[in-house]
Amino acid sequence: MTIAYWCVLFMGLFPIVAAGIAKKGFEGYDNGMPRQWLAQQTGFRARANAAQANLFESLPLFFAAVIIASISNAPQARIDLLAIGFVLTRIAYLICYLANWPTTRSIVWLIGLACVAAIFFQI
């Protein structure tokens, strides 16, 4: 399995980390109505939930880029490097979201998007 494929697997699971942070401690958590409970949260819980949603939203384009570049026989070393770059930016993105650093978060998000675009340009 290539490094890029490992990155795909990691990213498929990573939003669960943000979800866990949003539900940390489960204070008053209602498993019967989890979305209502999350919608009422503030502070780091609300930011972690928003980060979770954005992490899930970024997956289809990243997955497509890696798969299409791989089946198109793009240089694997470049795909791997850019996939690692994407993963690192998404980890930094979650940290920025939790720390409430909106400008830095947006810059990190843009760098991650550039990594995905660059994977497509390897085709």
Side-chain angles (χ1 to χ4, degrees):
M1 194 151 94
T2 68
I3 292 171
Y5 287 170
W6 280 109
C7 291
V8 166
L9 176 61
F10 177 84
M11 287 308 303
L13 299 172
F14 188 57
I16 297 167
V17 173
I21 293 169
K23 298 172 186 175
K24 182 179 181 285
F26 298 100
E27 298 166 20
Y29 180 71
D30 180 3
N31 197 40
M33 302 293 278
R35 292 179 190 229
Q36 282 183 329
W37 181 83
L38 281 167
Q40 296 170 357
Q41 300 309 300
T42 59
F44 82 91
R45 291 181 194 278
R47 291 191 302 275
N49 188 47
Q52 170 196 214
N54 190 275
L55 288 167
F56 273 122
E57 292 165 0
S58 69
L59 294 181
L61 191 61
F62 173 64
F63 290 177
V66 169
I67 293 166
I68 293 168
S70 293
I71 64 175
S72 297
N73 294 317
Q76 191 61 51
R78 288 188 201 152
I79 299 169
D80 291 344
L81 184 63
L82 291 165
I84 290 169
F86 179 77
V87 168
L88 293 175
T89 62
R90 300 313 281 171
I91 292 169
Y93 178 84
L94 176 59
I95 292 167
C96 290
Y97 227 129
L98 294 173
N100 200 20
W101 301 332
T103 302
T104 306
R105 182 186 79 220
S106 295
I107 293 166
V108 168
W109 179 88
L110 188 59
I111 295 168
L113 181 63
C115 288
V116 173
I119 292 171
F120 275 112
F121 282 109
Q122 300 308 306
I123 300 170

